[in-house]
Amino acid sequence: MDVRGELALVTGGSDGIGREIALQLQAAGADVIVTGRSIEKLQTMAALGFGTIASDLSIAAGVDAVVDGVASKPLALLVNNAGVGSEYELDDAATLESAAHCIRTNLDAPIALCTRLLATLRAQPEAAIVNVTSGLAIAPRAGGSIYCATKAGLRSYTQAIRHLLKDSHVRVIEALPPVVETNMTAGRAGKKMSAHDCAAEIVHGIRTGKSEVNVGMVKILQLVHSISPALARRIMIKF
């Protein structure tokens, strides 16, 4: 996809991987709108020339704010990147709200945005949906069961809508990052990819027409999983 002059929306685009995707799309010539929860971070992005929408995608009003914010605009690229972790514990009912918050943000919101913005995307000569999942969608970690489940669900959804839109000019892309150096992973030890390098692979995949962008070690993970799912899970636990 030639992103020059195209309007892109990056959810969770004021921090982490999303911010790097937004910066690199902008550098490639796209007009970019980012969403986020932090007014301060959104103000920083606005100063860099980005459109901004304040929204909490864990609630319906947050999704409404995003849809309203791009209404009547020629949106050609939707990047569903926003995501949160969960403090869910299997034997603790008090953590169910944390699980629900994660599901609403990571799975419900991208589905809602794909559905509600599809007509706008279809109206453009060329368009794409990019859903950012994770290597954990392939090989889940026991310590992050809800997060992994949301990413696996989004992966399945992405594959399904790719088939549904196969005869349209709306491409559907899945990006699968490994463990990346972000605020979400700040307390986690082990090898991490930089957000800049992760975003570079994703943006390259968008521009070169890939349907699935396996970032960094996820390329290897996909191969290992096809041979031994158990070994793939051990790799994710290590990293």
Side-chain angles (χ1 to χ4, degrees):
M1 180 180 184
D2 185 353
V3 301
R4 290 174 297 178
E6 300 290 3
L7 180 62
L9 171 67
V10 182
T11 67
S14 63
D15 200 6
I17 298 171
R19 184 177 190 275
E20 288 295 332
I21 291 173
L23 287 168
Q24 293 180 38
L25 286 173
Q26 184 190 62
D31 296 320
V32 185
I33 298 172
V34 300
T35 81
R37 293 174 294 176
S38 166
I39 299 301
E40 182 179 354
K41 290 177 181 178
L42 289 174
Q43 289 173 340
T44 298
M45 297 301 286
L48 295 174
F50 293 92
T52 63
I53 301 172
S55 66
D56 178 351
L57 291 176
S58 71
I59 57 176
V63 175
D64 291 343
V66 174
V67 174
D68 292 344
V70 297
S72 302
K73 291 182 171 66
L75 183 68
L77 177 61
L78 168 63
V79 182
N80 282 309
N81 162 80
V84 297
S86 170
E87 296 178 357
Y88 170 77
E89 297 291 341
L90 179 60
D91 58 355
D92 185 358
T95 63
L96 285 172
E97 177 50 37
S98 176
H101 179 267
C102 182
I103 293 167
R104 291 193 300 265
T105 304
N106 297 6
L107 183 58
D108 293 351
I111 291 173
L113 291 176
C114 286
T115 300
R116 296 178 64 180
L117 297 176
L118 181 59
T120 300
L121 293 167
R122 277 179 162 156
Q124 312 314 315
E126 183 181 18
I129 294 168
V130 181
N131 289 333
V132 179
T133 64
S134 170
L136 293 168
I138 301 168
R141 295 176 64 249
S145 56
I146 300 300
Y147 180 84
C148 295
T150 62
K151 293 303 185 178
L154 187 58
R155 173 171 169 78
S156 180
Y157 174 76
T158 302
Q159 292 173 344
I161 66 170
R162 182 183 298 127
H163 176 75
L164 292 174
L165 294 171
K166 62 183 174 60
D167 296 323
S168 78
H169 57 265
V170 180
R171 289 176 42 239
V172 179
I173 304 165
E174 180 185 8
L176 297 95
V179 180
V180 176
E181 184 67 61
T182 64
N183 288 334
M184 186 186 298
T185 64
R188 184 173 170 183
K191 185 177 180 181
K192 302 176 190 176
M193 188 177 198
S194 74
H196 176 274
D197 290 350
C198 175
E201 292 198 31
I202 293 172
V203 172
H204 178 73
I206 294 169
R207 298 179 68 187
T208 56
K210 292 186 177 181
S211 293
E212 189 169 289
V213 184
N214 294 299
V215 181
M217 64 162 285
V218 177
K219 300 182 185 76
I220 300 171
L221 182 68
Q222 285 272 34
L223 176 61
V224 172
H225 188 268
S226 67
I227 301 169
S228 172
L231 178 57
R233 285 193 292 272
R234 288 199 293 274
I235 290 173
M236 289 307 295
I237 289 171
K238 180 179 178 181
F239 288 99

